[in-house]
Amino acid sequence: ALDGFQIFFPEQRPFFIENKDVFDYKFATSRSGTTFGFDNLFYSRRIGRAPQGRPSLNGPAFVQQPDLTTILGAAKFSGKTDDGWSIGVLNSVTEAERATVLQDGAETRQTVEPLTNYVVGRAQKDFNNRNTFVGGIVTATNRRLTENVAFLHEGAYTGGVDVKHQWDNRTWYAGGNLVFSHVNGSREAITRTQRSITHLFQRAGATHVGVDTSATALTGTGGNVQLGKAAGNWRFETGVSWHSPELELNDVGFQRQADDWRPYAWLSYRTTQPQQRVRQVAVNYTQVTAFDFANQLNDVTLNVNGWVHLNNNAWINGAVSYTPVAYSNFALRGGPRLRLPQAFSYRNGFISDARKPLRFTANYSGRWGNDQAYRFHQVSGGVTYQPTNALQVSLSPTYSVNRDQLQYVTTTGFADQTRYLNARLVQHTLSLPLRIDYILRPNLSLQFWGQPFISRGRYNRFKAIADPTAPAFADRFTAYTNDQVALADGVYTIDEDRDGIAEFSFGAPDFAFVQWRSNLVLRWEYQPGSELFVVWSQDGAQFGDVTGGLLSELRGNLWGDGLQNILLVKATYRFMR
């Protein structure tokens, strides 16, 4: 992602989708929607991920590296008992992957992903007539490291406990959870974790964190506590979530950011009886304030949103948000805290009657900052056609345009000073997910999901950060003029003092990324509760021409020799009583 943080992608593989709710442990969710709700102690896409290492080279060489890590085997036990237990246990082993290197006439093989074992255990019990829930989770990631992948954690362990209690006919609820993480490895591995985008212990001006290059372990905590009312015309939720600076979940979990705590509040009014023209109306207000563990205020966001459920079973929704205060500890990738412009955003959407054979959705959203600091617009929608109960086809395109005056480019040194270079980015992104579900027989079905995706970004108007927290937007940077910037052979040079000699250079950051992903799944329930899955997956990604158009790049790069084909077979057997 252009903000440096990883992107959450939903799981598509049948083995991991089945009973995934049993393993789910999102510990920072809230009705306010602003508390890192995707963060999870188990993110199944880590298993079988792309190799994380690169071969060590001593000059020009031919390198052949696997795109994905082979899953040697995986076993899962999950389900729910009659007396209220939800239990899930998963174990998976992935192979040590090696890259083939041909250099100076000699061929060598170097490890780029170590042999790894993943274990996840989750249990939850309900009591008090399903009004009280208590649960826990543990995960363990263990790697057999070699010299070339010593930058990874040798061991990573996480755990959590969660509780929720409801009363007054489930009108009121209180709950919370506590999570911890512990990672260990070489000094190189733990230093790398401290300096990663999730933590940035090295960031300039931070007084409460710092990189310890002698450390061989890191332990952190996180959690969420909340109180709410879930019934009646008036409803609310309030609470606080936190991620300590040392929290690290990304070996087999998902975590975007550490060093954050935020109190939040959500208040809602909704009708509970159908009206003359509408079935139900809701108006919501949310407010969140975010701090780091030095108690610096980083964000204040106010949001009003609502929806209307019409008598024809259609839905209309919309929202507006205002952010009067915003700072980022991460925008300069280890640089000082950066003041962001005040922002305003909005969205609206329409969903047609889901009971009809032909149905559609339409959404539009936008966001902009003061002083024309950035502009973002996105249009998305979907069309679903279900001519029979056995067949359903849906297409959900999304197109967005992002213009950002302070997109991070690189960090470089000049005259005993550090330069944090930013630029104006113009980015266009298009995706076209297609899904087809066909039920051949009650116990036999065929499913297809495919998505072409392209994103193209072009940079100009380069600038250096001068005063990152200046009240006036224009005072936060020094813009380079055309006579200071030159481009040749894909490399920009900056002549800062205009003496005809370049002080520093960096590679052109323009990009065009094209990707195709698909899954074709045949499911056969050969006896009640016992299933056989045959899956054919395609995965291909490559860089396109930054000067080309979106649609032409999509046509020219969508299918080709770079596609990887994967065949998977999964069988489950249910023991009958």
Side-chain angles (χ1 to χ4, degrees), residues 288-317:
V288 63
T289 51
F291 304 82
D292 58 30
F293 272 59
N295 290 323
Q296 295 182 115
L297 178 62
N298 289 327
D299 189 274
V300 176
T301 297
L302 315 175
N303 173 273
V304 177
N305 63 83
W307 46 262
V308 178
H309 189 190
L310 303 174
N311 278 338
N312 63 3
N313 216 41
W315 298 75
I316 300 173
N317 60 73

Side-chain angles (χ1 to χ4, degrees), residues 223-438:
N224 187 25
V225 293
Q226 56 189 207
L227 171 71
K229 182 175 181 285
N233 294 108
W234 288 97
R235 309 178 186 195
F236 82 94
E237 182 180 273
T238 185
V240 60
S241 68
W242 73 94
H243 296 58
S244 78
E246 302 82 7
L247 185 68
E248 173 57 44
L249 307 176
N250 286 318
D251 287 272
V252 74
F254 183 92
Q255 176 192 351
R256 282 174 59 88
Q257 182 178 314
D259 195 7
D260 179 275
W261 70 274
R262 51 185 61 201
Y264 56 86
W266 170 82
L267 179 66
S268 174
Y269 177 81
R270 65 186 62 190
T271 60
T272 55
Q273 299 293 329
Q275 306 298 310
Q276 182 178 2
R277 295 182 179 179
V278 300
R279 297 187 178 191
Q280 197 174 26
V281 177
V283 179
N284 309 302
Y285 170 78
T286 65
Q287 178 175 324
V288 63
T289 51
F291 304 82
D292 58 30
F293 272 59
N295 290 323
Q296 295 182 115
L297 178 62
N298 289 327
D299 189 274
V300 176
T301 297
L302 315 175
N303 173 273
V304 177
N305 63 83
W307 46 262
V308 178
H309 189 190
L310 303 174
N311 278 338
N312 63 3
N313 216 41
W315 298 75
I316 300 173
N317 60 73
V320 292
S321 294
Y322 174 55
T323 303
V325 178
Y327 291 84
S328 174
N329 289 333
F330 301 87
L332 298 181
R333 311 296 199 274
R337 187 168 178 249
L338 178 65
R339 184 171 185 167
L340 304 178
Q342 295 182 351
F344 178 79
S345 62
Y346 60 91
R347 63 172 175 80
N348 51 70
F350 177 80
I351 305 173
S352 69
D353 188 349
R355 302 169 300 178
K356 295 185 177 180
L358 181 63
R359 45 194 183 268
F360 63 93
T361 64
N363 299 280
Y364 177 72
S365 61
R367 180 177 173 87
W368 66 85
N370 283 0
D371 302 302
Q372 297 186 347
Y374 56 80
R375 294 287 189 273
F376 175 82
H377 301 279
Q378 178 172 283
V379 180
S380 62
V383 178
T384 300
Y385 182 53
Q386 188 172 0
T388 69
N389 290 334
L391 177 63
Q392 178 175 294
V393 181
S394 61
L395 181 66
S396 307
T398 299
Y399 174 68
S400 65
V401 180
N402 177 37
R403 294 180 172 88
D404 189 347
Q405 298 291 344
L406 283 182
Q407 174 61 48
Y408 175 81
V409 176
T410 190
T411 300
T412 188
F414 166 58
D416 297 325
Q417 300 180 34
T418 301
R419 290 286 187 267
Y420 300 99
L421 298 185
N422 287 54
R424 176 179 182 260
L425 167 69
V426 180
Q427 179 187 10
H428 297 259
T429 303
L430 174 67
S431 66
L432 296 164
L434 172 66
R435 185 180 183 92
I436 302 173
D437 296 281
Y438 184 42

